Amino acid sequence: MSIGKKSKANVARVREKIYARDGFVCVASVWGSQCRGQLTIQHAVKRGMGGSQLFDTPKFLRTMCARHNDLDASDATFRRMSLMNGWSMMRQEA
């Protein structure tokens, strides 16, 4: 099985636990910014930032709407907020 398929399988096993832990809402909704898009499971350590299947555990997974996930990747101000609140992490923090 490829690493990508293993990662998806790992996340699928804990998906419902992550949704329940985060109250079935986007973790960034507490920031007061309106959520838009489907609620999904996101990695706190993004793949492009060195994330790997080692980070497919509940500690490194978050519920986030599509809008906030996009902002985490594209908006420096939101990214800083995300890092401060633990919604995202740099690999060396993990």
Side-chain angles (χ1 to χ4, degrees):
M1 183 182 298
S2 72
I3 291 174
K5 287 182 181 180
K6 285 181 185 177
S7 179
K8 286 182 182 186
N10 291 341
V11 172
R13 278 193 287 277
V14 296
R15 181 176 306 281
E16 287 305 313
K17 290 179 185 177
I18 303 304
Y19 282 130
R21 180 199 67 202
D22 293 347
F24 297 91
V25 297
C26 173
V27 294
S29 65
V30 299
W31 187 53
S33 179
Q34 185 178 3
C35 293
R36 286 197 297 262
Q38 182 177 359
L39 188 62
T40 61
I41 302 294
Q42 299 298 326
H43 289 83
V45 181
K46 305 289 187 221
R47 299 269 181 218
M49 301 300 276
S52 72
Q53 73 181 36
L54 299 174
F55 299 105
D56 290 341
T57 63
K59 177 181 177 182
F60 299 107
L61 298 170
R62 310 282 181 265
T63 55
M64 198 172 265
C65 70
R67 177 176 186 251
H68 287 126
N69 186 49
D70 288 344
L71 284 173
D72 192 38
S74 65
D75 182 277
T77 301
F78 186 84
R79 177 74 175 157
R80 281 190 298 278
M81 176 77 65
S82 190
L83 290 166
M84 278 188 346
N85 286 292
W87 308 327
S88 290
M89 299 176 184
M90 302 302 284
R91 185 178 178 141
Q92 64 267 21
E93 295 175 36

